[in-house]
Amino acid sequence: MISLLQAPQVIRWVPLTMSIVPATFDQRLLAQSIDITFLLPFLFILDGLWETDSNWFWAVCILLYHGYAVGMEASALKATVGKKMAGLSVRMDDERPVGLKNAVVRNLCKWISLLPISAGFFMIYLRRDARSFHDIISKSKVVSGSN
């Protein structure tokens, strides 16, 4: 028999966790394609301001892309528009959100991942944790199945 003077039991709420798995190369390529499509209207606007054969045009395009990627990955969204639409997010190895410094390092190292013959990106196929060169250098990862 339960007494009214007995202390109530404490109910512990445990948050439900979704299965978090490394993002595959295909998922990341889809996200990149969505991001490029998302940025195309801005590039068309820039195209009207500069001649496309101008070095300034391409420099501004690169800065626009990197500013977008760094800003979005370091934000509370933890992902660019393309990554969000593909169900992906970027986080640190220890599951913390990516900070501004790490987002800058991660996106600058993408240029190194392109050399030679995009080998840094194809590391995703070779590694069990599906991390690319720029993920390893910045101590980050792209995961699927997380908010």
Side-chain angles (χ1 to χ4, degrees), residues 69-79 83 89-107 134-135 138-143:
V70 166
M72 295 296 286
E73 289 174 3
S75 74
L77 292 175
K78 302 180 284 188
K83 284 185 181 77
S89 68
V90 182
R91 53 181 68 193
M92 299 302 294
D93 287 342
D94 60 1
E95 302 300 325
R96 289 180 300 121
V98 174
L100 183 61
K101 176 184 164 191
N102 290 94
V104 168
V105 169
R106 182 175 191 284
N107 282 281
H134 57 275
D135 293 329
S138 65
K139 298 180 175 77
S140 64
K141 59 186 174 181
V142 180
V143 294

Side-chain angles (χ1 to χ4, degrees), residues 9 19-20 30 34 43 46 55 59 73 79 81 90-91 105-106 111-112 142:
Q9 291 183 343
S19 174
I20 298 174
L30 171 65
I34 293 169
L43 298 181
L46 286 177
N55 290 338
E73 289 174 3
V81 171
V90 182
R91 53 181 68 193
V105 169
R106 182 175 191 284
W111 289 101
I112 300 170
V142 180

Side-chain angles (χ1 to χ4, degrees), residues 50-126:
W50 283 293
E51 295 179 28
T52 55
D53 60 345
S54 165
N55 290 338
W56 286 106
F57 173 77
W58 296 110
V60 170
C61 287
I62 290 168
L63 287 174
L64 175 70
Y65 171 77
H66 283 293
Y68 159 75
V70 166
M72 295 296 286
E73 289 174 3
S75 74
L77 292 175
K78 302 180 284 188
T80 61
V81 171
K83 284 185 181 77
K84 241 348 168 188
M85 290 178 74
L88 308 177
S89 68
V90 182
R91 53 181 68 193
M92 299 302 294
D93 287 342
D94 60 1
E95 302 300 325
R96 289 180 300 121
V98 174
L100 183 61
K101 176 184 164 191
N102 290 94
V104 168
V105 169
R106 182 175 191 284
N107 282 281
L108 287 178
C109 286
K110 286 181 181 180
W111 289 101
I112 300 170
S113 289
L114 285 171
L115 306 171
I117 60 168
S118 300
F121 289 104
F122 287 107
M123 289 173 64
I124 296 168
Y125 281 121
L126 304 174

